[in-house]
Amino acid sequence: VNLYGVGLVFRTTRDGKMVVSSFVKDSSAYECGLVRDGDILCAVQGQNVDTLRMEAIHRLLLGQSDSWVQMRFLRQTDAKASTQKTARPVYDHVTGEAILGQGPTDTVWASSKMRSFAPTYDSIVVDLCRKTPSNILSEAASQAQEEAMSTKVKRR
């Protein structure tokens, strides 16, 4: 049975996440333009991939030619660009001085300040058609791996 994929090449991070590293030209992933280099795969066909082994993820991604697969990705957003409401300090209505630790807005302010240092992510859901033969995907993946290895050697 010939299996087909959507034309995405992934690299696996140290913590086991699958990150888009490149595309097969003229594949459905390449043509749709919604998936970007660096997007993190988090679900396939509604199934969370965090706890799945690599073989199981590949089984979900690959399928019959011209069949469709739904994928969900996380994309890191620019924290500065995301609109965050910062809470204002609470003022004493008699003295007009800012009161710290009085009222819930201070904790909101503290947590939003902490949150601004943590990366924020957008969730992207795409339906893609499997039309790239798996042997082409394997070739693209090994080519990407070789390129990654050669750049590591050059950096030393």
Side-chain angles (χ1 to χ4, degrees):
V1 178
N2 281 344
L3 291 175
Y4 291 79
V6 297
L8 289 171
V9 178
F10 295 94
R11 64 183 161 80
T12 310
T13 61
R14 282 201 189 103
D15 57 354
K17 292 191 179 354
M18 288 181 69
V19 179
V20 175
S21 63
S22 59
F23 304 85
V24 174
K25 201 172 181 330
D26 300 326
S27 65
S28 58
Y30 178 84
E31 287 171 357
C32 90
L34 294 172
V35 183
R36 289 191 206 151
D37 186 7
D39 286 353
I40 303 162
L41 180 68
C42 55
V44 179
Q45 301 291 56
Q47 197 170 342
N48 200 324
V49 298
D50 284 348
T51 56
L52 296 178
R53 296 170 76 145
M54 205 56 76
E55 305 84 55
I57 297 170
H58 282 270
R59 276 199 302 273
L60 286 172
L61 289 172
L62 298 174
Q64 291 181 331
S65 177
D66 295 324
S67 61
W68 289 80
V69 60
Q70 187 182 78
M71 303 166 81
R72 188 160 63 86
F73 295 92
L74 290 179
R75 177 176 301 154
Q76 194 166 333
T77 58
D78 183 10
K80 292 181 196 80
S82 68
T83 54
Q84 286 184 340
K85 291 187 178 85
T86 50
R88 290 175 182 78
V90 179
Y91 293 97
D92 184 308
H93 64 279
V94 178
T95 64
E97 288 177 34
I99 311 167
L100 291 177
Q102 301 278 319
T105 51
D106 286 311
T107 54
V108 171
W109 179 77
S111 67
S112 70
K113 217 174 182 60
M114 294 299 284
R115 214 176 300 121
S116 67
F117 295 110
T120 53
Y121 294 91
D122 278 341
S123 180
I124 297 113
V125 177
V126 288
D127 287 294
L128 295 171
C129 185
R130 297 179 178 114
K131 59 182 193 177
T132 307
S134 58
N135 61 322
I136 291 177
L137 288 170
S138 309
E139 282 171 33
S142 52
Q143 192 181 335
Q145 210 165 9
E146 282 169 30
E147 285 170 18
M149 292 305 245
S150 68
T151 54
K152 274 185 188 149
V153 173
K154 283 176 196 161
R155 279 192 203 131
R156 284 190 185 139

